[in-house]
Amino acid sequence: MPRTTDKRDRLIKAAKILIRKQGFHLTTLADIAQEADVPLGNVYYYFKTKEAIGEAVIESRSRELHESMANWEEQSTPAERLFAFVQQEVDHSEDTARSGCPIGGLCQELAKQGGTLADAAAKLMNDMIEWSEKQLKAAGLGDSSREVANQFVALVQGMSLLTNTFKEPKLMVNFSQSIRGWLDKTVAKGKAATPIAEEIA
Amino acid sequence: MPRTTDKRDRLIKAAKILIRKQGFHLTTLADIAQEADVPLGNVYYYFKTKEAIGEAVIESRSRELHESMANWEEQSTPAERLFAFVQQEVDHSEDTARSGCPIGGLCQELAKQGGTLADAAAKLMNDMIEWSEKQLKAAGLGDSSREVANQFVALVQGMSLLTNTFKEPKLMVNFSQSIRGWLDKTVAKGKAATPIAEEIA
DNA sequence: GTCTATATACAGATAGAC
DNA sequence: GTCTATCTGTATATAGAC
């Protein structure tokens, strides 16, 4: 059973799209096979179970996330790195409005059944938080970096949920402008303030 | 077909518990019937379809939410009212760690399939945001109230997701302390600042 | 109003020809 | 390696006796 094939890749790609759009449980192997243009019976040559497809999808999301984080690292300041993360959310806000955050959606859905898939999804979320924490430490936030990182990621995730719930990409766009203010006023100056909207007074 | 019965109430109560814990799609009518101690075939006397149970669950959640909001209103300042909301999340943080936010979970899962159920769930989220907006307006935040309300609710929802993802109630407890600082420093003074962690400098 | 038995549909998974 | 046909389990939903 080859680890990498054209068909295998097509199946993973199809699964990523469909699972993001419909969720893991609502997506059938028949859906995935059809989207990938692979006969249903052939799916089992590449993946022993549906759960194995889930694992491959999470692996792929993990590679994407780490690539993105590497790109964001190229910004010259911690505040700009964190904003690059938010900017990516803005760039994909229409997908998010349609289908939600691919990582948040997996965590939400899979946390309910536990097991290794849930753990793998949780690791994605943890990686995002740790990366954010690293930036905040670099900005001089010290011991509060972990708590601020939790809140920063929570805020992005929550805004993805609202964007999806109301099918309104602008929610993410407007949010990015507020968080820009927060980054300039607090993170860029080595302070930490709970981030909702920049000060108006 | 009676609108209110002992058995009907038991079915809704069972559905609320199971749907929160397992999600809507993973929860079967057989699960609900068993938990409510009602024979499976009898379920259909009270609810025409599974979707009808979903509607009843959302209605019940809506009633609960509006009761809670009425209670929070009894606090004497807008900042304290908003904190009462967060305090309730802390009080239920162990349930959230186990099963996530009942409203956020519904929105996340149901947004993926659209339809009237998704709309009903979205209305719950909207009610939370509008209530928060009202408090922020009362605090004197003016035109930025809506955006700050979006971020406030997003932050609570995102923190619920992290709490559930990592099965760690303390995440919500620690967050509540930070948001307390944000409420005192900004909302209580009629300012608005994106809320991640109180200032440390 | 209540409950057993069952129809119907479709999911994940397998067997085995090619 | 590939694909058709099919097994098996289980979900929603219904029929109909009581």
Side-chain angles (χ1 to χ4, degrees):
Chain A
M1 195 184 285
R3 282 294 92 190
T4 167
T5 327
D6 181 45
K7 282 195 184 169
R8 186 185 153 92
D9 288 343
R10 262 155 51 206
L11 285 166
I12 294 174
K13 190 180 168 192
K16 282 170 66 180
I17 293 168
L18 290 170
I19 289 172
R20 179 178 185 180
K21 196 187 305 189
Q22 309 176 339
F24 183 73
H25 298 303
L26 238 58
T27 300
T28 67
L29 294 173
D31 289 340
I32 296 170
Q34 186 177 29
E35 173 88 12
D37 203 28
V38 169
L40 176 56
N42 203 349
V43 170
Y44 288 93
Y45 179 73
Y46 297 98
F47 299 98
K48 215 178 58 197
T49 62
K50 186 182 180 184
E51 180 159 338
I53 295 186
E55 278 170 30
V57 165
I58 292 175
E59 260 175 47
S60 172
R61 293 284 179 206
S62 177
R63 266 195 302 280
E64 279 174 4
L65 174 63
H66 284 270
E67 268 175 44
S68 291
M69 293 190 301
N71 287 338
W72 305 334
E73 292 275 359
E74 288 177 13
Q75 301 295 317
S76 52
T77 68
E80 281 169 10
R81 282 171 219 147
L82 288 165
F83 189 72
F85 171 32
V86 174
Q87 183 58 49
Q88 173 160 307
E89 296 296 319
V90 171
D91 293 342
H92 297 156
S93 58
E94 291 187 5
D95 293 326
T96 301
R98 236 176 287 117
S99 310
C101 171
I103 292 176
L106 285 171
C107 287
Q108 218 281 332
E109 195 173 2
L110 299 176
K112 298 209 181 289
Q113 55 184 336
T116 69
L117 262 193
D119 292 345
K123 182 161 188 328
L124 290 180
M125 187 70 82
N126 191 57
D127 288 349
M128 276 202 292
I129 293 171
E130 289 193 338
W131 180 85
S132 302
E133 183 186 8
K134 182 177 144 193
Q135 309 314 319
L136 292 165
K137 275 228 169 76
L141 294 213
D143 289 344
S144 66
S145 296
R146 181 66 187 202
E147 176 61 26
V148 177
N150 284 337
Q151 291 181 31
F152 180 74
V153 171
L155 190 45
V156 172
Q157 283 294 320
M159 201 54 73
S160 292
L161 177 61
L162 298 193
T163 299
N164 185 219
T165 297
F166 302 122
K167 312 267 175 240
E168 183 46 84
K170 277 205 164 66
L171 284 170
M172 190 62 79
V173 178
N174 292 340
F175 161 68
S176 75
Q177 290 164 0
S178 288
I179 208 73
R180 171 94 251 177
W182 173 75
L183 288 165
D184 292 344
K185 275 177 209 252
T186 61
V187 174
K189 293 177 179 153
K191 303 178 188 177
T194 254
I196 293 180
E198 84 189 273
E199 283 200 22
I200 55 164
Chain B
M1 196 184 286
R3 281 293 92 190
T4 168
T5 327
D6 180 44
K7 281 194 183 171
R8 187 184 152 91
D9 288 343
R10 261 155 52 204
L11 285 167
I12 295 174
K13 190 180 169 194
K16 282 170 67 179
I17 293 170
L18 290 169
I19 289 172
R20 179 177 185 181
K21 195 187 304 192
Q22 308 177 339
F24 182 73
H25 299 301
L26 238 59
T27 299
T28 68
L29 295 173
D31 289 339
I32 296 170
Q34 186 178 28
E35 173 88 13
D37 204 27
V38 169
L40 176 57
N42 202 351
V43 171
Y44 288 91
Y45 179 75
Y46 297 97
F47 300 98
K48 215 178 61 197
T49 61
K50 186 182 179 182
E51 180 159 340
I53 295 186
E55 279 169 29
V57 164
I58 291 175
E59 260 174 47
S60 171
R61 293 281 179 208
S62 177
R63 265 194 304 280
E64 278 175 4
L65 174 63
H66 284 270
E67 269 175 44
S68 292
M69 292 190 303
N71 287 337
W72 304 335
E73 291 275 358
E74 289 176 13
Q75 301 294 317
S76 53
T77 68
E80 280 167 12
R81 280 171 222 146
L82 288 166
F83 190 73
F85 171 32
V86 174
Q87 183 59 46
Q88 172 160 306
E89 296 296 319
V90 171
D91 293 343
H92 297 155
S93 58
E94 291 188 5
D95 292 328
T96 301
R98 236 176 287 119
S99 311
C101 171
I103 292 177
L106 285 171
C107 287
Q108 219 281 332
E109 195 173 2
L110 299 175
K112 299 207 178 292
Q113 55 184 336
T116 68
L117 262 193
D119 291 346
K123 182 162 188 328
L124 289 180
M125 187 71 81
N126 191 57
D127 289 347
M128 275 202 292
I129 294 170
E130 290 193 338
W131 180 84
S132 302
E133 183 186 9
K134 183 177 145 195
Q135 309 315 318
L136 293 165
K137 277 228 168 74
L141 295 212
D143 289 344
S144 66
S145 297
R146 181 67 186 201
E147 176 60 26
V148 178
N150 284 338
Q151 292 180 30
F152 180 74
V153 171
L155 191 45
V156 172
Q157 283 294 320
M159 201 53 74
S160 292
L161 177 61
L162 298 194
T163 299
N164 184 220
T165 297
F166 302 122
K167 311 267 175 239
E168 182 47 83
K170 278 206 164 67
L171 284 170
M172 190 62 80
V173 177
N174 291 341
F175 161 68
S176 76
Q177 290 164 0
S178 289
I179 207 72
R180 170 94 251 178
W182 173 75
L183 287 165
D184 292 343
K185 275 176 209 251
T186 61
V187 174
K189 293 176 180 155
K191 303 179 189 178
T194 254
I196 294 181
E198 83 190 274
E199 284 200 22
I200 56 163

